[in-house]
Amino acid sequence: MKRSEIRDRKRNRYFPDFAALHPGYSERPRLPLRTGSGTKREGVIKRLKRNPAVRFAAMLFAFVSLVFPDVSAAQDELLHLINQYRAGARNCAGQEVAPAPPLQSNAALAAAAHAAMNGGLLAEHLQRVGYRADNAQWLSVSGTSSERQAMTLLAQRFCGQLTRDSYSEIGIYQDGAAWSIVLAAPAAAPVDPEAAAQKILALTNEARAQPRRCGQKAYAKAPPLKWNAQLAAAAVGHSEDMASKNYFSHISKDGDTQSERVTSEGYRYRIVAENIAAGQSDAREVVAGWLKSPDHCANLMNPNVTEMGAGLNADPASEFGVYWTQLFAAPR
């Protein structure tokens, strides 16, 4: 006896008038369990399509895909636009800026950019994601989900930061119409502070050996400076203070000025001046930056100073990572 006949007998034993009570009933064919044509899968799909919840989910997915395009693609496009911007020479706040190398995308910086949208210190976000930077900067714009419009806003507000050649990596995070960007230079190998300070002296004297313009003022070449240990101690102390207390200023958090720092080291001066810098990874970049700034350049070319000292200090938890100080003086 066939299996189907056994099934019908059992059914009719309990429901003898089943066919009479259900005249439209007919045995539905069973789907094969295995087929090479996917017949079972197609049947499942048809049943899913008839499910209102499934249809609603599909419509919602299509709507979200239309309104919110691929975020990673948008971030890649903004990076492309930023690198295009860096590739051309331009004028930023009245200063000519040379083309800069392209930035490389970094996932840790993107995570820091995401965290920075909620506030807090950038240095803490970088430390949390495990990124060690010699220098980093956070930029943000809002009001548009368009990459090109975001680029226009960034160029208007952050020309100098976007074109800085010391930055080599970038992280971008987008949240609707808000954009968060972190630019950074990864930490280089530890610098020998004493060697770097002596390099500052050598580069300064090299610059003083040539006549140059500092802003609108012309300077003749000046005599070389001599190294002074007391000025160096004051410079190192100020760099350490800026790094440990996370600030960048000629006046310390305690209100000390360059004159007071030099005096506290026992140096009796007739003239004193100070240059500071933050974020640069080597002495050559530091001196080049000072020569581009009229006030710093004027200190460096001043023919009335005869001695100098310099020092640096690094702290990965600080905003700029590394801090440099140069002190000029003429003794009494």
Side-chain angles (χ1 to χ4, degrees):
M1 185 180 292
K2 293 183 179 180
R3 187 175 297 176
S4 59
E5 293 175 353
I6 296 172
R7 184 180 65 242
D8 291 340
R9 278 192 177 186
K10 287 182 178 179
R11 184 183 62 206
N12 292 331
R13 184 186 307 164
Y14 297 103
F15 302 100
D17 298 321
F18 189 90
L21 292 172
H22 300 84
Y25 173 81
S26 63
E27 192 76 38
R28 287 187 299 176
R30 291 173 176 266
L31 292 173
L33 293 179
R34 294 182 183 179
T35 70
S37 60
T39 306
K40 181 178 181 181
R41 182 179 60 193
E42 289 168 7
V44 172
I45 291 172
K46 286 179 181 178
R47 289 197 295 273
L48 286 175
K49 285 183 177 179
R50 288 197 297 267
N51 188 323
V54 173
R55 289 203 306 272
F56 175 76
M59 292 170 63
L60 181 61
F61 178 79
F63 173 78
V64 170
S65 300
L66 180 66
V67 176
F68 301 104
D70 187 356
V71 172
S72 62
Q75 294 169 355
D76 290 344
E77 177 62 17
L78 182 59
L79 173 58
H80 172 69
L81 293 172
I82 289 173
N83 280 333
Q84 269 190 340
Y85 187 78
R86 285 169 61 89
R90 61 190 68 255
N91 188 292
C92 289
Q95 290 191 348
E96 292 297 322
V97 178
L103 299 169
Q104 300 298 317
S105 180
N106 182 281
L109 290 181
H114 184 187
M117 295 187 87
N118 298 317
L121 292 175
L122 176 58
E124 293 176 356
H125 299 318
L126 292 174
Q127 194 171 30
R128 202 168 289 123
V129 299
Y131 187 98
R132 293 186 65 251
D134 276 342
N135 189 13
Q137 180 82 44
W138 177 57
L139 315 177
S140 68
V141 294
S142 60
T144 178
S145 60
S146 163
E147 305 90 349
R148 291 193 175 277
Q149 291 178 9
M151 182 66 236
T152 300
L153 293 174
L154 287 167
Q156 290 171 351
R157 301 175 190 177
F158 306 111
C159 176
Q161 293 92 329
L162 287 174
T163 54
R164 188 167 180 177
D165 60 3
S166 61
Y167 294 135
S168 59
E169 296 184 328
I170 185 172
I172 300 173
Y173 182 79
Q174 181 193 7
D175 184 6
W179 299 80
S180 177
I181 296 100
V182 175
L183 306 171
V191 177
D192 180 350
E194 292 185 9
Q198 290 298 321
K199 186 67 174 176
I200 292 284
L201 173 64
L203 291 169
T204 296
N205 284 333
E206 184 180 303
R208 285 168 67 90
Q210 303 288 333
R212 70 183 62 248
R213 294 190 71 85
C214 298
Q216 300 300 315
K217 187 173 181 180
Y219 284 84
K221 65 180 182 179
L225 300 175
K226 295 179 181 178
W227 184 260
N228 182 276
Q230 291 168 307
L231 293 177
V236 169
H238 189 48
S239 292
E240 289 177 349
D241 195 61
M242 289 192 289
S244 64
K245 297 178 181 176
N246 196 29
Y247 72 96
F248 181 66
S249 174
H250 290 285
I251 300 175
S252 75
K253 292 278 190 179
D254 298 327
D256 292 338
T257 65
Q258 59 202 37
S259 303
E260 291 169 321
R261 290 190 288 272
V262 167
T263 301
S264 68
E265 293 294 336
Y267 188 96
R268 300 183 65 200
Y269 65 87
R270 179 168 50 86
I271 302 170
V272 66
E274 182 181 74
N275 285 345
I276 58 175
Q280 295 83 353
S281 58
D282 63 72
R284 188 171 296 278
E285 185 182 359
V286 172
V287 174
W290 284 335
L291 289 173
K292 291 177 183 177
S293 166
D295 291 341
H296 295 87
C297 177
N299 286 340
L300 200 143
M301 293 298 297
N302 188 345
N304 297 316
V305 296
T306 59
E307 297 179 329
M308 70 152 275
L312 69 145
N313 188 260
D315 187 339
S318 63
E319 182 176 0
F320 294 108
V322 59
Y323 295 77
W324 305 72
T325 304
Q326 180 182 38
L327 280 164
F328 307 89
R332 286 184 183 176

